[in-house]
Amino acid sequence: MIPVFDGHNDFLLRLLKAPEDRETIWLKGDGKGHLDLPRMKQGGFAGGFFAVYIPSPEAGDGHDHDKLMDAPPYDLPLPELIGLDGALPVAMAMVGHLCWMERTGTLKICRSVPEIRDCMARGVIAAILHMEGAEAIDEDLDALHVWHAAGLRSLGPVWSRPTIFGHGVPFRFPGDPDTGDGLTEAGKRLIRECNALKIMLDLSHLNEKGFDDVAAISDAPLVATHSNAHALTRSTRNLTDRQLALIRETGGMVGLNFATIFLREDGRKRPFDGWDPVLRHLDYLIERLGEDHVGFGSDFDGATLPADLGDVAGLPRLTEELRKHGYGETLLRKLAHENWLSLLDCTWR
């Protein structure tokens, strides 16, 4: 079984919602969601980016957003900006859960590629502390240094709603990522400071002008941890050919998102049988980026997944399907983990 190092998951959000059950959820598995330690072992999941995401208040617009996303076209309104005072306690709680997972001895928060490789060799889950949206960082960036000292090594300036640093894309289909203004002046300072601290920048969720601002400022490879090809699925969250070209020029990387709404040609949310949409997007990303610059960015515990994948235990089924599709063992290992480790080694050095 080929070990998988993955670009994005929302497991910490599950623990945030049920902190009293975290031992059962993580160590034993409660049969819910996509991730837990037993299923990770079953699926060959060696580690990945564990997202700290500040959930938005429940939408009060009277609409069932899940139903809307299963009946395109749709254009969901973005939630309002969440302030630092509201975000900090939530972020602290989520990082606290990740630190608890580390104390169980089953996971390690990694700050270097050698640490990740050591975890993979020992069978310990290798976790990268990632922030999906920078709401828990102040405009003066003091908190960025605190989080970096705590182990933060990857940051997305926005989830789809706006922050003081920039603007994300709404959940819209059909649509494109050119949806508003670029980075704020504080956002541009954030990019430069992340470069100085060797914090990887994640462009998933960022709108097109913000993407271009990062491309103009950053001296690191451009990365989208969990995004797909806009040419195949016209979601605002997917990357245009121009964006893919910019990523390739910098030696960057894209992690294939397993979310059905970003894979299906019709943009619907409901699960599908078979693997064709997954294969089409992977083929396209490899064609545009090269086989050294594509990996997996599952969105486990944050999305609706293809029926034949199901959860993390389905990763060996995906690997076998890719073999049948003609992917050789060298390419499979690159997609599964080697490309991510090479990218991180380049970014963090």
Side-chain angles (χ1 to χ4, degrees):
M1 186 161 50
I2 299 176
V4 172
F5 191 86
D6 178 60
H8 187 86
N9 76 69
D10 285 297
F11 179 76
L12 296 178
L13 187 60
R14 285 180 61 205
L15 297 190
L16 180 72
K17 293 178 178 179
E20 68 283 357
D21 296 327
R22 68 184 184 181
E23 185 169 338
T24 296
I25 293 170
W26 171 240
L27 296 174
K28 300 176 183 177
D30 61 357
K32 300 176 182 178
H34 300 141
L35 293 176
D36 52 50
L37 187 61
R39 283 182 289 175
M40 285 177 173
K41 299 294 186 183
Q42 183 182 349
F45 186 97
F49 294 67
F50 283 70
V52 173
Y53 158 73
I54 312 302
S56 295
E58 292 295 324
D61 55 12
H63 296 294
D64 184 329
H65 287 191
D66 286 340
K67 284 187 177 179
L68 289 175
M69 284 190 285
D70 200 39
Y74 56 80
D75 186 2
L76 306 187
L78 284 174
E80 296 295 321
L81 182 148
I82 293 176
L84 182 68
D85 290 346
L88 268 176
V90 180
M92 282 290 293
M94 296 182 83
V95 175
H97 288 308
L98 190 62
C99 290
W100 167 80
M101 292 161 71
E102 186 172 54
R103 293 198 301 275
T104 68
T106 60
L107 173 146
K108 178 177 174 58
I109 302 170
C110 295
R111 296 163 172 82
S112 70
V113 172
E115 285 184 326
I116 295 172
R117 292 193 184 279
D118 178 66
C119 286
M120 292 176 69
R122 295 187 295 115
V124 174
I125 301 298
I128 294 174
L129 175 53
H130 166 74
M131 279 192 172
E132 185 179 28
E135 287 89 352
I137 296 172
D138 58 295
E139 190 170 348
D140 292 332
L141 306 182
D142 292 338
L144 177 68
H145 287 263
V146 175
W147 291 120
H148 180 261
L152 182 72
R153 292 298 181 272
S154 176
L155 173 72
V158 300
W159 178 74
S160 284
R161 66 175 171 251
T163 67
I164 61 172
F165 303 108
H167 303 272
V169 291
F171 289 87
R172 178 185 299 163
F173 184 91
D176 66 59
D178 184 12
T179 59
D181 296 333
L183 297 179
T184 64
E185 288 305 311
K188 294 174 183 178
R189 292 197 304 273
L190 175 68
I191 301 309
R192 296 187 182 98
E193 199 67 12
C194 284
N195 281 173
L197 292 170
K198 304 298 184 183
I199 295 173
M200 194 197 86
L201 292 161
D202 178 18
L203 303 178
S204 297
H205 287 281
L206 197 60
N207 69 3
E208 188 170 42
K209 287 185 175 63
F211 182 107
D212 289 347
D213 284 340
V214 175
I217 295 167
S218 179
D219 61 11
L222 299 178
V223 182
T225 61
H226 57 305
S227 296
N228 296 343
H230 187 269
L232 302 182
T233 302
R234 292 190 300 143
S235 168
T236 49
R237 271 279 283 110
N238 285 341
L239 298 163
T240 66
D241 287 350
R242 188 185 70 84
Q243 290 174 311
L244 292 174
L246 286 171
I247 291 171
R248 180 167 186 157
E249 286 174 12
T250 67
M253 186 159 166
V254 174
L256 179 84
N257 194 322
F258 296 156
T260 52
I261 56 172
F262 308 135
L263 287 169
R264 294 179 62 124
E265 188 175 4
D266 62 8
R268 300 178 76 176
K269 188 172 185 177
R270 67 180 57 184
F272 55 81
D273 296 322
W275 299 96
D276 283 353
V278 176
L279 299 174
R280 288 192 308 115
H281 277 269
L282 262 182
D283 286 345
Y284 193 87
L285 291 175
I286 291 170
E287 175 189 344
R288 291 284 170 168
L289 296 168
E291 64 177 37
D292 294 333
H293 303 285
V294 181
F296 300 140
S298 67
D299 220 343
F300 283 138
D301 280 327
T304 298
L305 303 184
D308 289 352
L309 178 63
D311 58 29
V312 68
L315 286 173
R317 294 193 292 273
L318 171 60
T319 301
E320 186 56 33
E321 195 64 32
L322 295 179
R323 282 195 184 97
K324 293 177 184 177
H325 189 59
Y327 287 15
E329 295 304 308
T330 298
L331 177 53
L332 289 175
R333 294 186 70 83
K334 287 180 178 182
L335 295 173
H337 61 268
E338 289 178 358
N339 287 347
W340 273 124
L341 299 194
S342 295
L343 180 282
L344 291 170
D345 188 52
C346 179
T347 303
W348 288 349
R349 273 186 299 176

